[in-house]
Amino acid sequence: MAGAIIENMSTRKLVIVGVTLLLFQALAFMVGGLIAPSPTTPLNYLATKCVDTGKNQQETTWFMPWGPNQCEKLQSFEDAMAKRIEANNIVFAVHIPPPKKEMSPWFQFMLVILQFNIAFKMNNQIEEGAVANIEVGLAYRDDTVSKWTEMARSSEQRRLNCNFTTAKTVENEGRHYECDLLPFMELGSVAHKYYLLNIRLPVNERKKINVGLGEIKDIHFISIHQNGGFTKVWFAMKTFLTASILIIMIWYWRRISLLTRAPVLLEKVIFALGISMTFINIPVEWFSIGFNWTWMLLFGDIRQGIFYSMLLSFWIIFCGEHLMDQMDRNRFSVYWKQVGPIVFGSFCLFIFDMCERGVQLTNPFYSIWASDVGTELAMAFIIVAGICACLYFLFLCFMVYQVFRNISGKRTSLPAMSKARRLHYEGLIFRFKFLMLVTLACAAMTVIFFIISQVNEGHWHWGDYTVQVNSAFFTGIYGMWNLYVFAIMFLYAPSHKRYGDEQSSGQCIAGDAGANSGEDIQLTTTITHLDGPTEIYKMTGKEAQE
């Protein structure tokens, strides 16, 4: 058998395949840019200051900022001082979403960020390393008349990072600090229509709780959720791509099973890459519309980690299997030095994700960055993962260099080889260069489009059309890596053409000096032989010799 389809495919057919893939790639970008709305929507909220009169001590009281049962409000803290209302009796209330709107399971997730609005006072400045102690409760309901049901309650800490850009003088009293945004809450599903946040900042001067925070004027919140329209486009795209990759994966393995030999390592790795792509494609998110699956964000991170780990391992093994003169191949144990950093780095990122989103399954207000220990732990995992990524990159560059050096050495001796041996090496060279070119193109498009999506205002106007750049980035890059896996499984599947067919990439060849003329010589495989690269091809009846 002659090897991979890409070696036996004519230039015309290869161009047709390439143009078809490019058309699907353009379609993926257009789906996101012209059909889907922006991926996410931010909503701004100003917390309402409510007064806790303490009348209902027997049960939990939820304070509504507006509506028929709204709380007793304060316009400012000066108003509270005039009415002699203590800070412990002030509750900051936020209703999500705004009036006359509803949340929906199609929003998939909700991220809430807070920002303190703090005024400068000479006798009440923000102390160095100030920490805000927050008591927060979250409730939900699915209509406007029923009682609120408690969803979560917690006591959290957030370290303030505020700067005062002008001189700290009496003349500048009343000016506001510039404070960083702080992570506050993350929900992995939006299963209910209405959410209510009640926040307290209890003060205890003896225990130094919420002392030295400056003069807090207001608390601003920003909630971010996925757009329902984008979710529908995303689900439809995942459903279509799942079927496409699954079909090509079954076709690929069927062609391998028709061979008379056992699958080689590279064929197994390509199949494993297809499995990991199918795993990330399977649209289990459809079930999140009807079920309150708060673990979907964590599950999505795990799926992405498995795919990227498999992709990085594939690149290493592909390079290793194309080192033409390397005797020790076709065994996974050969690549443990290169694959080891991938596995260890992925494990570190998995532990980091479990420390953040794993805890958020029970406490949506938890943030690993809120404490010094958590910050150091998170940074340790990220640094170790970064070191592993650098080691991997060095290994990969070294192996690519080895393959290209090997290629340049073989090119000088190709004319002196027998035709079967020459065709074998030419096939290896072409396959390797083709994958390197496509991989570099995909990586470059990912980086370029990511930069574009970060520096622009989110959309472009193109005639009468509005192009959503961020949506195009998500759908386009996601479609691109699916097409990448699809192309690899198709082009690198075993070919059923024989070296002996006319106009194919291999032919029946004559032995050296015409001694073996007329005898059939067949390549066992152009990927690698199970017994090593020295037994590339055999003659009927006796071994071929060079």
Side-chain angles (χ1 to χ4, degrees):
M1 195 186 73
I5 288 177
I6 189 174
E7 299 173 34
N8 296 323
M9 184 177 291
S10 65
T11 303
R12 182 176 62 87
K13 291 182 179 179
L14 187 61
V15 170
I16 293 174
V17 172
V19 171
T20 303
L21 292 176
L22 286 176
L23 290 176
F24 276 103
Q25 178 62 75
L27 180 62
F29 279 110
M30 291 174 64
V31 166
L34 300 178
I35 299 177
S38 176
T40 58
T41 296
L43 296 174
N44 294 302
Y45 301 90
L46 176 62
T48 301
K49 305 176 191 69
C50 296
V51 179
D52 183 5
T53 58
K55 294 180 180 179
N56 298 320
Q57 300 291 340
Q58 302 299 323
E59 60 181 14
T60 302
T61 303
W62 295 98
F63 297 89
M64 269 286 292
W66 46 264
N69 297 318
Q70 60 184 284
C71 64
E72 180 184 344
K73 300 178 183 179
L74 292 173
Q75 297 301 320
S76 64
F77 286 101
E78 288 77 7
D79 189 16
M81 293 176 63
K83 296 179 180 180
R84 295 185 178 182
I85 298 174
E86 297 182 357
N88 294 338
N89 292 329
I90 298 176
V91 179
F92 295 89
V94 177
H95 186 281
I96 302 176
K100 299 181 180 180
K101 290 186 178 181
E102 294 181 357
M103 303 298 284
S104 168
W106 290 101
F107 293 166
Q108 291 294 289
F109 69 89
M110 181 167 59
L111 175 67
V112 179
I113 300 169
L114 74 82
Q115 185 178 36
F116 288 102
N117 191 359
I118 304 175
F120 170 73
K121 289 290 184 180
M122 289 294 295
N123 59 352
N124 189 12
Q125 300 184 29
I126 298 178
E127 296 179 356
E128 188 71 24
V131 175
N133 290 269
I134 305 171
E135 293 183 358
V136 56
L138 174 66
Y140 69 87
R141 65 183 182 185
D142 292 310
D143 56 64
T144 57
V145 294
S146 62
K147 291 185 177 181
W148 291 98
T149 303
E150 183 174 306
M151 185 174 181
R153 186 174 293 276
S154 178
S155 295
E156 299 294 329
Q157 291 184 336
R158 295 295 185 268
R159 186 177 299 277
L160 299 184
N161 186 14
C162 301
N163 295 315
F164 195 66
T165 56
T166 58
K168 294 182 178 180
T169 60
V170 178
E171 291 76 13
N172 290 323
E173 283 192 347
R175 291 178 178 267
H176 288 181
Y177 288 88
E178 293 182 358
C179 295
D180 290 346
L181 298 173
L182 301 174
F184 184 68
M185 183 185 75
E186 185 172 25
L187 294 178
S189 67
V190 188
H192 305 287
K193 295 181 179 180
Y194 308 105
Y195 294 87
L196 180 64
L197 283 168
N198 281 180
I199 302 102
R200 297 174 185 263
L201 297 174
V203 176
N204 190 321
E205 295 184 2
R206 184 174 59 86
K207 296 182 179 180
K208 300 295 184 181
I209 296 177
N210 287 332
V211 175
L213 302 182
E215 187 171 315
I216 298 177
K217 292 294 186 180
D218 288 300
I219 304 180
H220 294 269
F221 290 87
I222 302 173
S223 73
I224 302 172
H225 63 262
Q226 186 165 296
N227 269 333
F230 179 83
T231 302
K232 294 174 183 178
V233 172
W234 187 255
F235 284 8
M237 190 173 182
K238 293 193 71 168
T239 304
F240 171 77
L241 291 175
T242 299
S244 303
I245 297 297
L246 191 60
I247 291 172
I248 193 66
M249 188 172 63
I250 295 173
W251 173 86
Y252 173 82
W253 193 250
R254 181 177 177 277
R255 292 183 75 90
I256 292 177
S257 63
L258 293 176
L259 301 176
T260 56
R261 57 172 175 81
V264 295
L265 176 61
L266 188 57
E267 292 169 340
K268 294 177 182 177
V269 172
I270 292 177
F271 185 69
L273 182 64
I275 293 176
S276 65
M277 190 78 256
T278 303
F279 183 56
I280 201 175
N281 282 341
I282 295 176
V284 295
E285 292 86 352
W286 282 110
F287 294 100
S288 67
I289 305 302
F291 300 94
N292 186 17
W293 287 356
T294 58
W295 44 266
M296 285 303 299
L297 289 177
L298 178 62
F299 183 62
D301 289 344
I302 294 174
R303 291 198 294 178
Q304 290 186 37
I306 292 174
F307 169 71
Y308 287 123
S309 298
M310 194 65 244
L311 182 65
L312 298 178
S313 301
F314 164 72
W315 287 340
I316 285 287
I317 294 174
F318 187 88
C319 292
E321 293 298 287
H322 283 77
L323 288 173
M324 303 174 193
D325 294 329
Q326 180 177 313
M327 298 296 295
D328 195 11
R329 292 190 294 173
N330 199 40
R331 289 188 298 110
F332 186 76
S333 58
V334 176
Y335 302 98
W336 70 270
K337 292 182 180 179
Q338 294 88 349
V339 177
I342 301 174
V343 176
F344 187 71
S346 301
F347 179 74
C348 289
L349 292 177
F350 171 73
I351 297 298
F352 168 74
D353 214 30
M354 288 299 296
C355 291
E356 176 101 83
R357 284 184 169 164
V359 178
Q360 287 174 349
L361 295 178
T362 56
N363 180 12
F365 306 104
Y366 175 80
S367 174
I368 195 172
W369 304 98
S371 64
D372 293 335
V373 176
T375 300
E376 292 176 359
L377 185 64
M379 289 303 299
F381 283 128
I382 293 174
I383 290 172
V384 171
I387 293 173
C388 292
C390 293
L391 290 175
Y392 168 82
F393 182 73
L394 292 175
F395 277 134
L396 183 62
C397 290
F398 177 70
M399 295 187 72
V400 172
Y401 167 75
Q402 281 187 311
V403 175
F404 275 109
R405 186 183 64 177
N406 195 290
I407 286 174
S408 61
K410 288 296 178 184
R411 281 192 176 280
T412 59
S413 57
L414 283 178
M417 293 182 181
S418 64
K419 183 168 292 187
R421 174 76 69 170
R422 188 177 72 252
L423 290 172
H424 168 69
Y425 282 123
E426 287 177 347
L428 290 178
I429 292 170
F430 177 68
R431 287 191 316 183
F432 182 80
K433 287 190 172 182
F434 179 85
L435 182 76
M436 287 296 102
L437 180 63
V438 174
T439 300
L440 287 175
C442 291
M445 287 182 65
T446 303
V447 173
I448 291 171
F449 234 83
F450 176 78
I451 293 174
I452 292 175
S453 66
Q454 295 300 307
V455 301
N456 78 96
E457 69 276 11
H459 59 270
W460 291 340
H461 293 288
W462 183 25
D464 295 332
Y465 298 97
T466 299
V467 181
Q468 295 291 341
V469 178
N470 292 332
S471 297
F473 168 74
F474 282 109
T475 60
I477 299 303
Y478 176 62
M480 182 188 68
W481 286 111
N482 272 274
L483 291 172
Y484 177 84
V485 174
F486 185 96
I488 287 175
M489 298 188 74
F490 174 73
L491 296 175
Y492 291 85
S495 172
H496 290 167
K497 289 187 178 180
R498 299 279 177 171
Y499 280 89
D501 298 337
E502 289 187 11
Q503 304 301 326
S504 70
S505 60
Q507 302 175 4
C508 294
I509 63 173
D512 293 345
N516 299 319
S517 178
E519 299 191 49
D520 290 336
I521 300 177
Q522 181 181 343
L523 290 179
T524 305
T525 174
T526 58
I527 299 175
T528 183
H529 193 275
L530 293 176
D531 298 326
T534 54
E535 295 184 10
I536 302 295
Y537 54 90
K538 295 181 179 180
M539 295 175 62
T540 304
K542 70 174 186 177
E543 297 288 328
Q545 298 179 357
E546 291 188 3

